[in-house]
Structure formats: structure tokens, C-alpha cells
Amino acid sequence: MTKRAIIRLGLLGVLALMVTSFASLFAAPTVTQASSHREAPLISQDPVADATDLYSFVSPDRPDTVTFITNWIPYENPAGGPNFFRFGDDVLYELHIDNVGDAQDHISFAFQFHTVTVNPNTFLYNTGVVGKPDDEQYNQRQYMDIMRYDAPADGSCKNMALANCPTAKQTTIAQNVEVAPANVGPHSFPIYAATAAMNVKEVGNGIRAFAGPRADSFFADIGSLFDLLTIRKLPGNAGGGVNSFAGYNVHTISLQIPINQLTSNGMTPSNPSDPNAVIGSWITSSRRTTKVYSEGKTTSSGQWVQIERLGMPLVNEIVVPLALKDAFNSLHPWQDATIPAVVNVVTDPEPARLLKALYGLNVPPAPRNDILMVFAQGVKGLNQPANVVPSEQLRLNVAIKPSANPNRMGVLGGDLAGFPNGRRLTDDVVDAELQVVAGVLVDGYNKAPGNVLGDGVDAPAGQLMGTFPYQALPYSAYYVNPGKTVNP
């Protein structure tokens, strides 16, 4: 057997281990849901509600705040006119916060959008040169409302989405916040960077908000990995990968929020061991129970029903099997721990035993508590809440200051301010997750090839910004063609 074949089998086994470990963890009883780029059958048919990524990190230029970046609508080709991509006016987008560790929704921020067409008697997105978001020539505009929901102290919203709970405290953060326009091209938006910057809004109490298109910050060679998990340049730590997301945009909803407005005690912790220092987050999209089509118009009514969920990256996309993907997307974190025999499946996965018996690949023996810890509990002593209830969330210790020299491998690279302690735009989650599942956190297993697995893509394609909203400006089709051919 060739070296290439052995390593490919190893990667297949590693991802099989992930699938088997998490299938039982996220099997849903009777509900439906989805997450990541086109990760589940149902949500892949509803792109405006499809979450691609969630990022959570202590803001490097404002360390008393946390930045949440939520990205939606995968694979936006910049040449998407005349009806350029926009948020769904009939979708409820939400950011959820668990600041206790009990897998409950204690704070949520809800975002809703409405679109205004200034001149309906033209097919144009803009009827002339646009410099400011309120220029008359900007024809198809979108606006965002932001609400905050807080769970009541009496526990009456337990096991409920706060937007559906009648006793949740509701606060209007902002209304009619202008959404940044599409980057149509240099003749339509000659100062696009300045125009988009006008859409970064101070919405009160130290909160900054931004919504609109940005270059997709996710980076991975999925063109290679989805082709029988091929690595272009073995074993993955020497580059050679092709970023499948270069040239594509997403739509982002980003918030920068003072830490003391997120913690359970309303304080800004300075000690990482403070029990109030860890906050978990996840994002969802929901639609009304009923939608009626009539004469080119639609109306929606009824309660909000969750159709998408995303916390830790890549869980549903490459971990959950097809039979469970839609079910995963309707689960809430408080349901994750209700599935029987979860711990046994996660800590003693059959694929790991098969890999050792059939191929001699050195994977850790059971129990695999390292996998359970990273993906469902948080790392003990880093971002695991006291008395944590296992659930899939992106957990961040807000008392750990931003790194002066961020390492793309995050915690695996000795940088405690990075993934899986939250997630920054430059964190290489594909390489990190492969290596964790291969056993690098288990004594005696942090060695090649397990600790050098990767896809050969190590950074986002766009030029990131140094201040909020941090993501690179969206690509313009006048300059960029994402459909470039890659030769073997």
C-alpha cells in the first residue's frame, strides 16, 4: 500500500470517527434544522436562511467588547445582478447566548429585514453613481431591525426560544439600520469602501452593528476534500490547497458588544478562572409556520420555527450523516444532552478500533473524552463552564485577552485566544478539527501524521480589516471571477 493510500485511509477513518461519534449526539426526536455552507438537504434549498459561519472573539482593538460575526447565504457570486443577493425579509435571524453553561438561551439578539425599492419602474439596482447609502440613485435598499431578548429569572422561558417566549424581556436595540449595498462595480459605487463604512452603526450602549455583503472569510479546499478526502500535497501541512471560497461573498450580521452586557453577573471578568468568564453562542434562522403565495406576493403567519442552527464550525457539514442533517438543524442546545447512550458512542467509537485492527493506524484507545470535551463541553481550564451541560456551542472565555501574534492553529498552536476558545477570522478550523479527532490532545498521540493533517489552505483569501467589522470588503464582479479553473 502506498504512502498516499495509507494517509487517505487515515483521513477517511478520522472523519468516519467524527460521524459515528456525533451521530447519536445530535439525533433529533421530531424536529428539523441545518448549518454551514449547504450542509443539509433542506437548508441547501433555502440559501437566504442558510448560515455559513459563526465567529466569536474578544475584539483586538476594543478588548472590553466581544465581536460576533454571523455569515449567511453561501457562495454569492459577485455578478449576481440585477437582483443582487440580500437578506430574507421573511426570515428571523438570531444570535443566542448561554452565559451560564446550562445549554439554555439566556440572551438572544434577533434581526429582521425589510426591503424598499425607490423606483419600481426600472430593472436597475442603482440608477446612477452612488456615494452615500441615502443617495436617490441607490434603488434597492434594505434595512435591519435589532431586538434583544432576555430570559426571565423565574425560569418560565426554559427550553424555549426566547423570541417565542411571552415572558421574555424584549428591548429594541435599533430600527431601520441601513444594510450595506452590493459592490456592484467601480462605475456604480466608485468609493465603495467609504460607502460601506457608513453602514457601521453605533446603536447605543457601546454596541456597534453592521449588516451587508462581505468577502467570505472561511477558507478550505473542499473541492479536494469532498473528492474522496484527497489532499493535494500530503500530508497537508505544506500548502498546495486551493481555497474553494475565494472570490465568493456572503451576507454578514455583525455585532460588537461590551462584555458586561453579556456575562451573567453584568461584570467584565479579568481572571480567566472567573465562573462568569465563559459565554457560549450559536446562531439560528427561523420561518413562520405558514406561508401563502398569491399573485406574485407572499404573506407569512404563525410562530417562528427554527430551520437552521450553527455553533461549532463544520459539525453538521462534515460530521453529521445525511439521515440526520435536517434533524440536527432544528435541535436546540438543551436537547443535545437528551439522546441516550451519547457518552458511550463518543468515548468508544467503533471506527477507531477498526482503523487500528485493519490498518495499524495509531489512534487513541477508548475512552475518547477529548472529543466530547472539545465539541460539546469546552476545554477544561480554558472555556468549560462549571457544571456544564453538554451541548454544541461555540464557547469563549472573555477574560483571555487578544493575542498580539495570533496563531492560525489557535490553542493547538499555543494561542489560548484562538479556536476552540471562540473563533477568529484567521483560525484554521479545518486543520485544527482534523488534528483533534486524530488524537493530538491525548498523551502520546501528538505526533505525525495526526498532528500535521490539513487541507493545505491556511488563511482567508480577502484582505481583512483591522477594525470592526473586520471582514474583507465584498468582491466586485467587475474585478473578480470566482469560477476560475484549477488544473490538476
Side-chain angles (χ1 to χ4, degrees), residues 31-36 38-51 285 287 305-308 316 322-330:
V31 284
T32 61
Q33 203 184 336
S35 116
S36 288
R38 296 178 52 82
E39 81 291 345
L42 286 178
I43 203 65
S44 68
Q45 305 304 304
D46 191 1
V48 297
D50 190 354
S285 63
R287 288 190 177 277
V305 177
Q306 182 178 305
I307 59 172
E308 168 76 312
N316 200 6
L322 280 169
L324 300 175
K325 283 180 177 293
D326 292 328
F328 171 86
N329 271 342
S330 56

Side-chain angles (χ1 to χ4, degrees), residues 89-90 287-302:
D89 289 346
D90 56 353
R287 288 190 177 277
R288 298 285 191 183
T289 53
T290 303
K291 188 173 185 177
V292 177
Y293 296 83
S294 176
E295 298 180 351
K297 297 181 180 180
T298 62
T299 57
S300 299
S301 61

